[in-house]
Amino acid sequence: MNSPKVILTVFGTRPEAIKMFPVIHALEADPRFTSRVCVSGQHRAILDQVLEISSIKPDHDLAVMQPDQTLDALTANLLIGLGKVMDEEKPDWVLVQGDTATAMSGALAAYYRKIPVAHLEAGLRSGNIYHPWPEEVNRKMIGTITALHFAPTETSAEALRRENVDPATIHVTGNSVIDALHWITAKIEREPELASGLAQLEQRFAGKRIIGVTSHRRENFGGGLEAIADAVRRLAQRDDVAMIFPVHPNPNVRKVMDDALGNLVNVALIEPLDYPHFARLLDISTLILTDSGGVQEEAPALGKPVLVMRETTERPEGVMAGTAKLVGTDADTIVAEATRLLDDKAAYAAMAKSHNPFGDGKTALRVADLLAENAGGAPA
Ligand code: UDP
């Protein structure tokens, strides 16, 4: 038998960790591979929560995050740090996920060493380089370097073909966010205490319909976040709803939300939830308001209507399936659309159908097979 291929997985934020852990589990269980893991620490506490629940022990931890760091400094530090790890590990493949600074720097550092790059969640495009910012460009830059593109859907594969990517390198694998959701749901069934921490809030809001809210997008900082806060405040005036809002640790988000929503009876502003508790929040929610990417994929899988508080989305599949609606960041529109879903049973029922445009939960196994079958490699 050939010696196992060394796969260096590089990631740094919570959403990357959630989408990477099923693949790392598959690589670890497969004798065709030696799995090596490098985390950048681009997020810290909320990344570590995912590593812990999924029992992943990084081989390298760069801890790159500095307070108020610019994107330039972050990217420069990532490039240097990740390059050193690659020089040490000499992997056969570098695997990156999504669209973060870590993923982009990991791909670039690998390219500088002519190490082939595989890209999980390839081909998402909003068509607007400032929405999401800077992620749209991060993802496109990774795409120009990548030797194996794991597109979650036919739509994302088509986006890559339109950019003249060699079709032989594009594979529709589904999105591993669904593998992760299946895994965590099964784990919570076996160990319900993992997600029992919302019980007090559930009691406090008994009889009310729960609206789960998240917001953290960089392009919404400033006016967008204030409008979102205003919409939440206005919706919370209804006494038949309660809002549960785990607030992203980014200080730009926290301050706006604390100032606008800190003392409202029907709003629980809480610390970021670990992944099992967030899955529980999705489960108990009637409706989701979010500007998150991953939540747009999870909510349709659970049949939860989701109002996407962004101007564009690089994940149109939920909108096409009818479980997601783009509502932008205008407070009046957000309030009107949420009110319609709360008051109009037919409108609610039309959106509350479970769809799985993002995958069947077998993405990780497909990715492992493709990594085993493909040599990658730079021209001599
Ligand atoms: N999530 C979580 N706890 C929270 C909020 C979100 O575990 O308090 C999870 C959620 O299940 C999803 C992912 O984090 O899988 C989304 O991350 P985020 O919204 O930070 O980033 P994006 O997907 O927009 O890149």
Side-chain angles (χ1 to χ4, degrees):
M1 194 180 132
N2 295 337
S3 58
K5 279 187 180 170
V6 179
I7 314 290
L8 179 66
T9 312
V10 173
F11 58 100
T13 65
R14 174 179 62 194
E16 289 167 282
I18 288 173
K19 291 168 175 176
M20 279 294 205
F21 81 70
V23 177
I24 296 171
H25 286 172
L27 296 176
E28 282 173 348
D30 191 327
R32 293 176 294 180
F33 303 109
T34 299
S35 168
R36 304 289 288 169
V37 174
C38 175
V39 297
S40 69
Q42 189 181 336
H43 285 168
R44 188 72 269 168
I46 62 176
L47 169 74
D48 292 344
Q49 285 176 347
V50 184
L51 297 175
E52 197 186 323
I53 192 82
S54 58
S55 305
I56 291 188
K57 295 188 179 54
D59 302 290
H60 302 269
D61 188 336
L62 301 180
V64 290
M65 212 51 197
Q66 313 265 329
D68 288 325
Q69 187 166 228
T70 60
L71 281 174
D72 318 44
L74 171 64
T75 306
N77 288 335
L78 282 165
L79 199 52
I80 292 168
L82 294 171
K84 281 187 190 147
V85 171
M86 289 175 203
D87 289 339
E88 196 182 312
E89 292 287 352
K90 302 197 171 22
D92 296 298
W93 283 97
V94 166
L95 177 64
V96 298
Q97 195 284 336
D99 57 14
T100 64
T102 298
M104 192 273 288
S105 309
L108 192 56
Y111 170 66
Y112 286 162
R113 289 159 181 78
K114 296 191 176 170
I115 301 167
V117 172
H119 186 200
L120 188 60
E121 202 185 64
L124 278 62
R125 299 287 185 270
S126 73
N128 179 338
I129 63 166
Y130 294 105
H131 286 268
W133 177 77
E135 288 84 359
E136 176 83 355
V137 163
N138 284 344
R139 202 186 292 268
K140 287 179 80 159
M141 285 172 32
I142 296 166
T144 60
I145 292 169
T146 293
L148 256 185
H149 304 260
F150 303 131
T153 66
E154 191 46 50
T155 307
S156 41
E158 182 52 31
L160 291 168
R161 289 192 287 265
R162 273 202 306 275
E163 291 173 10
N164 291 329
V165 172
D166 176 359
T169 64
I170 305 169
H171 302 271
V172 177
T173 57
N175 196 317
S176 55
V177 75
I178 306 296
D179 301 40
L181 200 55
H182 288 181
W183 187 88
I184 201 68
T185 308
K187 192 168 172 69
I188 295 170
E189 263 167 37
R190 291 192 306 272
E191 303 165 64
E193 67 285 358
L194 286 177
S196 61
L198 292 176
Q200 262 190 344
L201 271 183
E202 290 177 44
Q203 222 170 19
R204 173 176 147 200
F205 294 144
K208 295 179 192 283
R209 284 178 289 175
I210 304 287
I211 302 182
V213 187
T214 81
S215 174
H216 73 289
R217 298 256 19 111
R218 208 181 266 270
E219 66 274 13
N220 282 344
F221 287 0
L225 285 184
E226 275 160 26
I228 289 170
D230 187 39
V232 170
R233 189 187 52 73
R234 283 158 58 187
L235 285 166
Q237 283 162 4
R238 295 175 61 122
D239 53 15
D240 62 337
V241 302
M243 328 282 284
I244 300 185
F245 189 164
V247 182
H248 198 275
N250 189 308
N252 293 295
V253 182
R254 185 158 278 277
K255 175 148 187 8
V256 174
M257 297 307 162
D258 280 347
D259 289 353
L261 305 169
N263 294 315
L264 301 181
V265 243
N266 282 351
V267 181
L269 283 186
I270 57 177
E271 291 299 313
L273 292 169
D274 64 11
Y275 186 43
H277 282 96
F278 193 75
R280 173 75 189 157
L281 174 59
L282 291 175
D283 196 38
I284 62 172
S285 293
T286 299
L287 174 65
I288 312 292
L289 302 184
T290 192
D291 60 10
S292 156
V295 179
Q296 281 178 66
E297 296 155 342
E298 292 162 334
L302 298 169
K304 301 292 177 169
V306 49
L307 297 181
V308 181
M309 301 183 293
R310 293 167 55 166
E311 306 301 332
T312 55
T313 180
E314 70 284 38
R315 295 170 166 88
E317 294 87 347
V319 178
M320 292 189 294
T323 31
K325 185 159 188 182
L326 272 183
V327 295
T329 51
D330 172 64
D332 291 343
T333 313
I334 299 168
V335 172
E337 291 291 343
T339 304
R340 196 170 70 89
L341 289 172
L342 292 168
D343 292 342
D344 179 343
K345 279 201 176 119
Y348 184 83
M351 278 186 88
K353 292 206 186 84
S354 158
H355 287 284
N356 240 343
F358 297 104
D360 59 1
K362 298 192 173 65
T363 298
L365 294 176
R366 287 187 196 106
V367 164
D369 282 344
L370 287 162
L371 284 170
E373 288 158 14
N374 283 277

